Every structure is written in structure tokens, then in C-alpha cells.
Amino acid sequence: MTEPFPAPDDRPPPARLAYDRHTWKEIAHLLANLPAALVGFTYVVTALFTGLGLTVTVVGFPLLAAGLAGARWLGRAERTRARALLGVRVEEPSRLPLRSAGGFLPRVWMALKDPVGWRTMLYGAIRLPWGIVTFTVTLTSLFVLWPVLPFIARGLANADRAMVRGLLSPSDELERRIAELESDRGVVFDTAAADLRRIERDLHDGAQARLVNLAMGLGLAKEKLLEDPDAAASMVAEAHGEVKLALQELRDLARGIHPAVLTDRGLDAALSSVASRCTVPVKVTVDLAERPAAAIEGIAYFTVSELLQNVSKHSAARSATVDVWRADGRLLIQVEDDGRGGARLDGGTGMRGLADRLGAVDGLFVVESPEGGPTTVTAELPWRDRSGALAEEARTARPQS
């Protein structure tokens, strides 16, 4: 996750005798309650009576499931109206994972158990009497009680706000977490696809091209081996040089995928190797009593590697430090340099990609870089024990009997 921001305050200013834009919006919402409630109540009654009335047949439950799915659209429209006129910011519930449910009957059963649909049905059923009350009181007050109408409108609108938050919000924290994970899954897929394209491009433009030239050179050397041994030896020597370059490119590519030193010796040695290639002197301090899970270790390595590349290219720094430690079940990484500062998540230096990568695994990424420096980047990752992760991988890899 990127740096958290404070939740927006959606409370309107205090009501006053003078009519302001907030009061007029609340009046408009209260007057629109009746037509909106009529539409919602009609839909709810029709869907419920049709679905429940036909449950004695095979089409009743699918019709009721379709009615609950349609109620979600009704709830979305009411949330939009409340957001526009009352300033109520309510998150959209996550979609039902119908594709993962399997066949037709599991999908119908999932829709019938949808708490969002049932709460929206309840909202539509109770809104008709409330809509009549708010419409009548607001319209009458416009002509009879207009001096105190702002206070009346505020009280009625607050009741509407409570209904929207109570009945049209996501079910609970689990709903919100599902929505976050769905978004993070998309980020992970996009990142993996970008990495795959980069590997394919590096192989095609680098090692593959050199190996093709090597094969052609060796073929020509074979033809000239008998008739011109000196030329053949020169071609073999040139091919030997191409082999060395191809091997170096393959090593660099493998290091970019997952360096062997990280697998064999852990973060301390791997980050020291990255620091030695940085154009700025870097002091690395890794204070870990044990190694984290391989996936967490890999993300930490590539985070520091990308940050040190930014230090080399953009910071104009004289020195930098890398600190890695564990605290409260989190792996913490801090990279600091004394450069010119000005680094931002949207600055085009790969910071946004790092933030998305860490956010996809429930991590945190914070950049503090005032103009003139210094720049401090703090990253947090959830700690997972290496032994537990290896046991889980072994369990999932074991063939089912």
C-alpha cells in the first residue's frame, strides 16, 4: 500500500438560516425521495412477489436471484444520488465472484445468499413511507416554515445519510478487503506481464542475437577449416568472444530475474553486491536474525535494487545508506541519500511501479524527498517465516492421492 491519506470529511457545514448550496442540495434530495422511493418500492415488490410466488416451480429461485442482482444496480443508483446531493462517500461493494462459482445452480445459490442484494431490497421497501414523509414535510416547509427549513432539511438529510451508510455500504471490513485484493491482483498480473515482456525483449535483442551470430561464425569456420586453417582459427577465436559476451548477458538477465547470490546467501550478501555496482558509495546494514520467505526476500531485493539505480541516475548524491531490519512482524527497508531530492511517486523514476508492487502484497511505500534533499524512502513488507513458506510450498506441490 502506498502512503495512507486521512479519510475525507464528508460532513457538510453547520446549518444556517440563510440558504446555501448544501441546503439546496439537501432540499433537492428530500424532494426527489418520493419518485425514487416509488421506483425502488415497485421494483422490490415485483421482484420479491414474482420470485417467491414462483418458488413452487423451477423458475422461482432463478428469478429471485436475478431480482437480487438487479437490486445491486438500484443500490448503486441510490449511492450515486446520495454522493451527489448529500456528500455521502460510500464505497461500492465488490462484485459477486459468479465465474468462480461453477455451474448454473451454484451461481443461483451465491446470488440468493448475497447480503448486499438483500439489504438493498430492505432499503427499497422502507423508503416509500419515508419518501412520502420527507417530500410532504419539505414541500410544506418551503411555503410555511421556510425560515427554519435549513434545520429541518438537515435533520431529515442526516436520517437519509444514516440509512445509506447502514444499508448500502459494503457488508463489513471483509468486503472492503476483497475489493482491495481484486485491485491488487490486477496490479500483480500487469507487473508480471511487463516483466515477461522485458525478459523476452532482452533475450531476443541480446543473447539470442549473439548466439545466432555464433552459430553462423562456427559454420563458416567449419567450411574453412581445411582450406584456410588460419582464417578458421580467427573465426573460432571471434566465436569464443561472442560466447563470453552471451554468457555475461545471460548472467545479467538471470540476476535481473532472481540472482543466485540471493538464493544462496540471503539479503545481506545480495544487497552488498547491488551496492557495489552503484555509482555512489553505499553503506548496507542488514539486521535480520533469520531469512524471510523467498517471495518477500525477492521483493525486498528488487526494491532496493531499483532505488539504488535511481540514486545512481537521478540523485546527484555523494553517499547513500541502506538499512533492513524486522519489527512487529514487518520487514522494513530504508534507503537514504544526500542528493538533490525532489523524488515523487509520479516523477517517472519507477517509484509508482515500486509502490504498486509493494501494495499488491499488503506492503507500504513512503517517499520523503523535499527539494534540496535528502531523500528517504521507507518500504514495509509483511514478514513471512521461510520455514513456514517452504512447508506450504511442499504441501501444495505434493501430488494428491
Side-chain angles (χ1 to χ4, degrees):
M1 293 184 291
T2 56
E3 182 177 4
F5 294 95
D9 187 358
D10 57 8
R11 292 176 298 179
R16 301 180 299 170
L17 288 175
Y19 287 22
D20 57 12
R21 63 185 183 91
H22 296 285
T23 300
W24 283 115
K25 283 185 176 181
E26 289 173 343
I27 292 173
H29 179 85
L30 295 171
L31 292 176
N33 271 349
L34 181 57
L38 284 171
V39 173
F41 185 81
T42 302
Y43 177 85
V44 169
V45 170
T46 303
L48 286 179
F49 274 86
T50 303
L52 294 176
L54 293 176
T55 52
V56 294
T57 67
V58 294
V59 298
F61 288 109
L63 285 177
L64 184 57
L68 289 169
R72 279 178 162 256
W73 291 98
L74 184 65
R76 176 176 295 184
E78 283 296 293
R79 282 188 294 271
T80 302
R81 187 168 71 97
R83 184 163 52 247
L85 297 177
L86 298 181
V88 178
R89 295 172 176 85
V90 176
E91 297 181 17
E92 293 292 331
S94 59
R95 295 182 179 180
L96 287 176
L98 295 177
R99 292 184 178 180
S100 62
F104 176 73
L105 291 180
R107 292 184 181 185
V108 170
W109 180 240
M110 180 178 291
L112 290 175
K113 296 188 301 179
D114 180 22
V116 175
W118 284 110
R119 284 190 287 108
T120 307
M121 287 283 197
L122 176 61
Y123 179 87
I126 66 176
R127 291 292 290 181
L128 182 58
W130 176 250
I132 295 173
V133 171
T134 57
F135 180 85
T136 304
V137 172
T138 305
L139 187 62
T140 303
S141 300
L142 274 173
F143 298 98
V144 179
L145 300 173
W146 59 267
V148 294
L149 178 56
F151 300 95
I152 297 174
R154 176 57 50 84
L156 296 175
N158 283 340
D160 266 339
R161 291 184 176 97
M163 289 185 192
V164 171
R165 291 192 181 101
L167 294 177
L168 299 184
S169 295
S171 297
D172 50 20
E173 184 63 29
L174 180 60
E175 279 280 340
R176 288 188 288 272
R177 184 61 181 149
I178 290 173
E180 290 179 1
L181 291 175
E182 288 176 348
S183 175
D184 291 344
R185 181 180 60 182
V187 172
V188 171
F189 287 161
D190 292 341
T191 302
D195 289 343
L196 180 60
R197 288 193 298 270
R198 176 182 59 81
I199 294 170
E200 291 175 344
R201 183 179 64 250
D202 291 346
L203 281 174
H204 182 270
D205 298 341
Q208 179 180 343
R210 292 195 180 278
L211 291 175
V212 170
N213 291 333
L214 172 63
M216 295 175 62
L218 289 176
L220 292 174
K222 180 180 179 181
E223 294 178 358
K224 291 182 175 294
L225 185 60
L226 296 178
E227 58 185 52
D228 193 352
D230 293 337
S234 176
M235 290 180 180
V236 170
E238 184 178 348
H240 185 250
E242 288 287 333
V243 169
K244 290 182 177 180
L245 291 175
L247 287 174
Q248 182 60 44
E249 290 182 354
L250 288 173
R251 289 194 194 99
D252 293 340
L253 183 61
R255 186 183 296 115
I257 298 173
H258 197 86
V261 65
L262 178 64
T263 303
D264 297 338
R265 300 172 58 191
L267 272 176
D268 196 353
L271 295 184
S272 297
S273 175
V274 171
S276 67
R277 298 194 298 270
C278 185
T279 58
V280 175
V282 181
K283 179 182 178 182
V284 178
T285 303
V286 179
D287 184 13
L288 296 176
E290 58 180 324
R291 295 176 62 178
I296 300 300
E297 195 175 58
I299 295 174
Y301 171 83
F302 289 115
T303 299
V304 174
S305 179
E306 180 71 20
L307 290 175
L308 290 183
Q309 286 184 29
N310 288 338
V311 170
S312 297
K313 296 178 182 178
H314 308 289
S315 70
R318 295 184 299 274
S319 63
T321 60
V322 176
D323 293 291
V324 181
W325 71 100
R326 178 185 179 183
D328 298 328
R330 307 281 285 181
L331 178 65
L332 286 89
I333 303 166
Q334 192 169 79
V335 178
E336 185 174 2
D337 67 74
D338 58 0
R340 60 192 173 198
R344 305 187 311 275
L345 287 178
D346 56 352
T349 57
M351 295 288 191
R352 172 53 60 186
L354 288 176
D356 291 341
R357 228 175 243 250
L358 267 69
V361 293
D362 201 19
L364 181 67
F365 190 80
V366 181
V367 179
E368 298 178 9
S369 183
E371 292 293 339
T375 296
T376 302
V377 179
T378 304
E380 290 187 18
L381 288 164
W383 181 273
R384 290 177 54 204
D385 291 329
R386 194 174 190 86
S387 57
L390 291 175
E392 178 65 18
E393 290 177 4
R395 186 187 65 81
T396 55
R398 188 181 301 122
Q400 300 294 326
S401 57

